[in-house]
Amino acid sequence: MSTTIESPRAIDVCWDGVDLPSLAQKLGTPCHVYSASSIRQRIGALQTALRGLDALVCYAAKANSNVAILQLMAQAGFGADIVSAGEMRRSLRAGIPAQRIVFSGVGKSADEIVEALAVGVARFNVESEDELHLLQRLAAERGVIARAAVRVNPDVDALTHAKISTGKSENKFGVGIDEARRWFAASAQLTHVRLDGLHVHIGSQMLDLDPIRIALQRVADFWRELIGAGHAINSIDVGGGLGVCYRADRDRPIAIEDYVAAIRHALTGFDGRILLEPGRWLVAEAGALLTRVIRVKQGRQRCFLVTDAAMTELLRPSLYDAWHEIVPVTREPRPAQTYDIVGPVCETGDAFAVDRELPRCEAGDLLMIRTTGAYGASMASNYNSRPLAAEVLLDRGRYAVVRRRQTFEDMLAGEQSVQEWENA
Ligand code: LLP
């Protein structure tokens, strides 16, 4: 006997005051939607939790680097954590001042460092000795002083997916405390780098506070040791990594108050500036991907729902086997059925869900893939020559297209047939 699923909840049909079926009708699918109200709520909750601390939130732009999203961060007085010149330019364009931008990443190129020095970013989170020396040389050549923090790799298991774990010694990120200690000991030779900060980021989608506490403790111990050795530490950047709820029945995110309490506790007595780099926590749950069922295909063993969204719009299930809730955007009760929900891309891994029970669907039905506000559109690609999807900001009954759907001409811009061969 089949069960009937009364799904989805009304919120899925109307979100942030906007009726999703008519929006999808108007703008087409696939289409990313973001609720500005939800993002503002998260911003407000974080600001409340941080009250009384000298803290600057540098939103990790990689989570969702749409300029309109960055503008919401700018309006809140937040800065940005960037990992490329592209993210820096986006952040500046959104109105985030350079003095609130921190530059992280293991592979900053000389050109990127030069550009960041020219605009005057607040801080470089330096991840290798080679980078430190390059920064010193480039700053000296320009006669400027670069502010820098060492990204410490505290060798802590973040207890998250291996592909988004960054704080173990075998990971490419940061340097061990022994090496960082040597940098400070030799820092008098850095005539154009002021090494006066510590940075740590051990992983993403963390649902357990213990690894965070351990990492903070190691950094705090190191800060006290450095102070004891006569070094000035003016900023401690605690990174990002706060997890969100993808599966209501399993994921128990860390309460923001508990997270900030752990920071307060570990850094008691620190009188410099605390930087935070949350990405996902601010935007993930505020986003959804709207997609239409192209067809229902009954295979020999499984029933496939083929959607017009693919791994090109949301890579997380293909890359990390990530679980995203999927609901039809309708209020009609329908009998349940089990599907594999797949995209049109020519890869077996192009699947959003396997063996997922949904209310029965038919071609043309609108689905909502939830919790896609972070690492959705920002990880998109043109694979299979699929145009980038539209992105839409919803705000209390209004909406604005914040990225129009890419056209075929947009996609080919820059590509050309051979005009003339150059002799190599
Ligand atoms: N700071 C640094 C130095 C980072 O590398 C990251 C994320 C963040 C901050 C922000 O972390 P969040 O608060 O968003 O967890 N594509 C993966 C996530 C990769 C995260 C990379 N670094 C995913 O879809 O799960």
Side-chain angles (χ1 to χ4, degrees):
M1 206 187 78
S2 68
T3 47
T4 296
I5 298 186
E6 293 274 356
S7 178
R9 299 176 295 280
I11 185 180
D12 301 324
V13 177
C14 186
W15 203 22
D16 209 344
V18 176
D19 181 72
L20 296 179
S22 44
L23 187 79
Q25 195 67 46
K26 238 179 275 171
L27 301 177
T29 51
C31 169
H32 291 278
V33 291
Y34 311 125
S35 158
S37 305
S38 307
I39 295 174
R40 284 197 206 98
Q41 256 171 27
R42 287 281 159 116
I43 289 173
L46 182 54
Q47 286 171 326
T48 304
L50 290 170
R51 218 167 263 163
L53 284 178
D54 177 10
L56 175 66
V57 178
C58 293
Y59 164 68
K62 63 175 83 66
N64 186 327
S65 50
N66 187 291
V67 172
I69 300 295
L70 292 169
Q71 270 164 349
L72 292 176
M73 305 301 166
Q75 283 156 14
F78 285 5
D81 163 54
I82 56 139
V83 290
S84 67
E87 286 185 353
M88 179 167 63
R89 292 184 193 191
R90 281 176 178 277
S91 303
L92 292 169
R93 188 169 293 186
I96 297 176
Q99 303 73 30
R100 293 202 192 124
I101 294 179
V102 295
F103 196 174
S104 305
V106 292
K108 304 176 192 80
S109 70
D111 285 349
E112 288 177 314
I113 293 175
V114 165
E115 191 174 330
L117 285 172
V119 305
V121 298
R123 202 165 267 292
F124 291 83
N125 288 331
V126 179
E127 307 223 14
S128 66
E129 195 165 12
D130 177 72
E131 183 193 336
L132 183 65
H133 292 150
L134 178 64
L135 182 61
Q136 155 69 22
R137 179 166 67 75
L138 296 172
E141 281 168 10
R142 279 154 193 81
V144 295
I145 305 281
R147 306 278 304 254
V150 51
R151 175 163 177 183
V152 167
N153 181 324
D155 197 19
V156 176
D157 187 341
L159 304 177
T160 182
H161 192 286
K163 286 190 178 161
I164 53 176
S165 172
T166 53
K168 291 280 288 164
S169 56
E170 67 259 34
N171 300 139
K172 69 181 174 183
F173 301 97
V175 300
I177 287 185
D178 286 354
E179 180 170 343
R181 189 178 286 125
R182 288 197 294 276
W183 291 13
F184 279 97
S187 60
Q189 291 153 31
L190 298 170
T191 52
H192 290 77
V193 174
R194 191 185 310 157
L195 187 65
D196 65 351
L198 297 177
H199 174 224
V200 67
H201 171 80
I202 60 168
S204 196
Q205 183 53 16
M206 289 188 286
L207 296 172
D208 194 331
L209 197 48
D210 288 340
I212 299 178
R213 283 202 187 98
I214 297 169
L216 286 172
Q217 201 49 55
R218 292 195 183 159
V219 170
D221 291 346
F222 187 40
W223 149 60
R224 293 194 176 94
E225 174 195 324
L226 290 168
I227 294 291
H231 299 287
I233 299 298
N234 292 317
S235 76
I236 296 182
D237 183 334
V238 299
L242 263 187
V244 300
C245 182
Y246 288 99
R247 288 191 77 153
D249 59 339
R250 289 199 190 171
D251 298 341
R252 292 279 163 271
I254 299 164
I256 193 67
E257 300 76 17
D258 295 345
Y259 174 66
V260 175
I263 297 172
R264 284 181 199 270
H265 176 75
L267 301 185
T268 303
F270 178 62
D271 59 1
R273 174 160 268 204
I274 297 171
L275 305 180
L276 298 95
E277 301 172 346
R280 187 189 318 261
W281 188 84
L282 287 167
V283 293
E285 291 177 32
L289 176 59
L290 298 180
T291 179
R292 236 176 248 292
V293 175
I294 295 178
R295 63 180 52 88
V296 182
K297 172 174 171 176
Q298 184 57 61
R300 278 219 308 209
Q301 298 189 23
R302 331 181 64 96
C303 188
F304 299 99
L305 274 190
V306 187
T307 60
D308 63 5
M311 63 195 290
T312 43
E313 287 72 46
L314 179 66
L315 186 58
R316 304 191 71 256
S318 307
L319 197 56
Y320 319 113
D321 291 322
W323 200 98
H324 284 259
E325 189 185 352
I326 303 175
V327 287
V329 186
T330 165
R331 288 199 177 95
E332 275 172 46
R334 296 183 184 177
Q337 191 165 339
T338 300
Y339 296 106
D340 281 7
I341 303 159
V342 301
V345 161
C346 298
E347 296 270 348
T348 303
D350 179 29
F352 293 121
V354 172
D355 264 341
R356 185 73 64 89
E357 193 170 271
L358 281 190
R360 197 176 59 220
C361 289
E362 26 189 86
D365 281 351
L366 185 65
L367 302 180
M368 184 187 201
I369 306 182
R370 307 193 70 173
T371 325
T372 57
Y375 307 110
S378 63
M379 293 174 76
S381 81
N382 280 137
Y383 187 40
N384 281 201
S385 288
R386 293 168 54 83
L388 296 180
E391 293 172 64
V392 184
L393 194 63
L394 317 177
D395 194 3
R396 294 161 294 181
R398 299 171 308 165
Y399 74 88
V401 176
V402 293
R403 177 201 282 275
R404 64 172 167 75
R405 188 176 307 286
Q406 199 177 30
T407 64
F408 178 70
E409 291 308 324
D410 291 338
M411 201 178 357
L412 262 65
E415 242 175 86
Q416 52 193 13
S417 51
V418 176
Q419 311 287 318
E420 201 183 325
W421 296 102
E422 310 272 355
N423 285 323

